[in-house]
Amino acid sequence: MQVPAHVEYEKAASLEDALNLLVRYGPEAKILAGGHSLIPMMKLRLVQPEVLIDINGLTELCHITVTDSQLHIGALARHAQLLDSSAAGRHFAILHDAERVIADPIVRNWGTIGGSLCQADPSEDLSAAFAALKGTMVISGTGGSRTVSAREFHTGPYETVVGPAEVLTEIRVPLAHVSGSAYLKVARRAGDWPVGAAGAAVWLDGDTIADAGIGLTAVGARHFAAAEAEEYLRGRPAAADVLARAGEIAAENCRPVSDQRGPADYKRHLACELTIRVLRTALRRARENAAAGGYAA
Amino acid sequence: MRIAVTVNGTEYRREVEPRLLLIHFLRDELRLTGSHWGCDTSNCGACVVWLDGTPVKSCTVLAAMAHGREVVTVEGLANDGELDPVQRGFAQCHGLQCGFCTPGMMMTARWLLNRNPDPTPGQIREAISGQICRCTGYENIVRAIRWASDYEAGGSR
Ligand code: FES
Ligand code: FES
């Protein structure tokens, strides 16, 4: 029987309360959101916090809204909420593609988006999706809040820039600069972590790729992104040979490791092939969106 | 710590350790042993119950997190001794063999039909994709859920 070790428990009544509790208890305290990463880790004694600060009551962090310029996702929004958000899916198909293959429907009901990002597993899907979308993370502390780009959020496996007395509160994605997007994952079985996965977000201007964001996960890509391939794509025509080259560049620049999910060379192959395929789908969607009369429509 | 959780319409107040998992609270504290405890690792879905109307894996939720919330377990499916159509579907279509996965499957099935009264077999398979059955090969579970859907649509069986 796996159960967590002894732990104290505090229920935060507000964000301010949660932050004060973090200050009071110090680095041995952990924020408890959905708990779908934390509780399994506690059962295995991979983490042993002294205090859990339960933020599930903070309704102010549960929103998913689209304003004129940005998509706002509260850190406590559940995965299922994102999949159910037609506004989010309309603007960013990549987020629905990704959510459909994250864990399973029951886990998605309770697991939170902020929790997944803060867990910072090197195979996590949304980290790659938000890297592709060049999102922004809002992090709050008792002194106020600050923003960092999605690509600066992770500092290493299971590590983020969120300080011991801070909480990730929101993810923002600008609506401009993306006219089509897609996500694709290869996993060994339903609901599993990826062997490799890729996401793409493109801005198509006529037949030219004005801008592209490429996210990669589980393949050892720096900042979950393929910056060199993006650089190569910028200003080039949306043609098959260009996509093929972008895939090669993405694969050349990641550092996959062999593990029980697959050998490194296979993961590198996936990085290339999945990059090509998500770019192809993102470009097709960009054309469809343009034909329908709006970019991020 | 003291928690108050409403389970199948009844409020229970108990003194619990914060580390107590919801599945153990239900089974060991309340003796509601209908919900099963299988893999312990949020993979099998034997422990699925509703938390505020949404199915969750209760092996991965602390009892403390259910404080002030409403839980529904398989014991709460039947209405006044009358089996829920989902339960009848499982009986009619041989949707179980050993029965270990069944409570979780039925809780997800009821939730699916509440949201989507006429699901395709594909949608049913997607809905139960986080739950493992070692016996049936799933085919009869899908049929059982379809049976309940048809029954509720007024089809005579
Ligand atoms: S016991 Fe909870 S998912 Fe298996
Ligand atoms: S009936 Fe035996 S596990 Fe499903």
Side-chain angles (χ1 to χ4, degrees):
Chain A
M1 176 164 101
Q2 295 177 358
V3 291
H6 175 82
V7 67
E8 298 294 325
Y9 174 94
E10 294 272 7
K11 197 173 207 80
S14 63
L15 177 59
E16 200 190 338
D17 188 28
L19 292 169
N20 287 333
L21 286 165
L22 279 175
V23 171
R24 163 140 48 103
Y25 287 106
E28 296 310 316
K30 273 241 168 235
I31 291 287
L32 173 65
H36 275 48
S37 300
L38 182 57
I39 293 173
M41 299 275 281
M42 288 173 68
K43 288 181 182 181
L44 295 169
R45 305 295 189 273
L46 291 173
V47 284
Q48 247 175 291
E50 284 171 13
V51 191
L52 293 175
I53 299 170
D54 185 348
I55 59 166
N56 281 283
L58 305 196
T59 46
E60 66 263 45
L61 301 184
C62 295
H63 57 282
I64 296 182
T65 49
V66 177
T67 61
D68 286 350
S69 60
Q70 295 192 95
L71 168 68
H72 299 255
I73 302 173
L76 198 61
R78 317 276 166 187
H79 289 283
Q81 246 179 290
L82 185 53
L83 193 48
D84 284 346
S85 164
S86 53
R90 197 164 57 243
H91 287 284
F92 304 114
I94 182 174
L95 294 176
H96 277 194
D97 289 351
E99 281 296 355
R100 259 182 224 111
V101 293
I102 290 174
D104 62 62
I106 308 300
V107 167
R108 292 198 296 263
N109 277 343
W110 199 247
T112 67
I113 291 162
S116 287
L117 293 170
C118 289
Q119 172 69 11
D121 190 292
S123 302
E124 204 275 316
D125 293 290
L126 289 182
S127 304
F130 289 121
L133 290 171
K134 297 174 185 153
T136 304
M137 313 301 198
V138 184
I139 300 167
S140 299
T142 46
S145 61
R146 62 189 176 111
T147 57
V148 301
S149 84
R151 295 184 182 198
E152 286 162 10
F153 184 73
H154 300 93
T155 48
Y158 308 101
E159 282 175 20
T160 71
V161 296
V162 179
E166 288 183 319
V167 177
L168 171 67
T169 47
E170 191 178 78
I171 302 99
R172 295 180 187 157
V173 185
L175 298 188
H177 311 309
V178 175
S179 60
S181 63
Y183 192 81
L184 202 55
K185 154 165 158 175
V186 169
R188 297 188 52 160
R189 55 191 166 209
D192 201 0
W193 294 95
V195 182
V202 298
W203 178 255
L204 198 54
D205 183 4
D207 246 338
T208 303
I209 300 171
D211 200 4
I214 300 172
L216 290 169
T217 193
V219 293
R222 230 173 315 120
H223 306 305
F224 291 92
E228 298 82 359
E230 295 168 351
E231 183 60 49
Y232 166 79
L233 284 173
R234 219 162 283 136
R236 282 201 155 73
D241 59 324
V242 171
L243 305 194
R245 182 67 196 127
E248 283 170 12
I249 296 172
E252 282 160 14
N253 285 283
C254 60
R255 310 234 170 321
V257 290
S258 299
D259 60 17
Q260 79 280 11
R261 289 202 177 80
D265 58 345
Y266 175 55
K267 293 183 183 183
R268 199 180 290 281
H269 164 76
L270 284 181
C272 174
E273 188 58 34
L274 293 178
T275 296
I276 296 170
R277 291 188 194 181
V278 285
L279 281 169
R280 212 185 281 145
T281 306
L283 288 166
R284 175 174 51 75
R285 287 174 174 167
R287 288 192 193 97
E288 288 167 3
N289 288 339
Y295 275 116
Chain B
M1 63 181 294
R2 257 196 111 58
I3 59 170
V5 185
T6 301
V7 183
N8 303 328
T10 306
E11 193 189 71
Y12 296 90
R13 292 171 180 275
R14 290 286 188 285
E15 184 69 35
V16 300
E17 271 194 87
R19 63 174 173 157
L20 183 70
L21 298 167
L22 180 57
I23 183 67
H24 298 307
F25 175 74
L26 295 170
R27 289 180 57 85
D28 303 343
E29 287 290 326
L30 306 187
R31 303 307 295 167
L32 291 170
T33 52
S35 306
H36 291 160
W37 163 54
C39 67
D40 223 353
T41 54
S42 50
N43 282 297
C44 76
C47 64
V48 169
V49 301
W50 293 3
L51 187 56
D52 279 352
T54 304
V56 300
K57 294 183 171 177
S58 62
C59 69
T60 309
V61 175
L62 299 175
M65 294 161 84
H67 170 68
R69 295 180 188 265
E70 280 194 34
V71 173
V72 180
T73 70
V74 68
E75 288 93 341
L77 261 191
N79 200 347
D80 268 342
E82 170 116 2
L83 290 183
D84 186 275
V86 165
Q87 293 172 300
R88 297 180 56 181
F90 273 73
Q92 290 291 331
C93 301
H94 202 84
L96 64 146
Q97 289 179 32
C98 79
F100 199 83
C101 69
T102 316
M105 289 289 183
M106 294 197 303
M107 294 313 287
T108 298
R110 182 66 267 160
W111 179 70
L112 170 69
L113 293 179
N114 289 354
R115 284 166 51 111
N116 176 3
D118 188 23
T120 64
Q123 288 168 329
I124 294 172
R125 285 176 187 275
E126 161 70 16
I128 61 171
S129 62
Q131 292 168 249
I132 292 171
C133 176
R134 284 300 191 218
C135 304
T136 64
Y138 302 98
E139 196 55 40
N140 285 357
I141 295 179
V142 176
R143 266 189 220 134
I145 299 172
R146 271 306 321 168
W147 187 97
S149 164
D150 289 340
Y151 177 85
E152 287 177 342
S156 52
R157 290 270 176 167

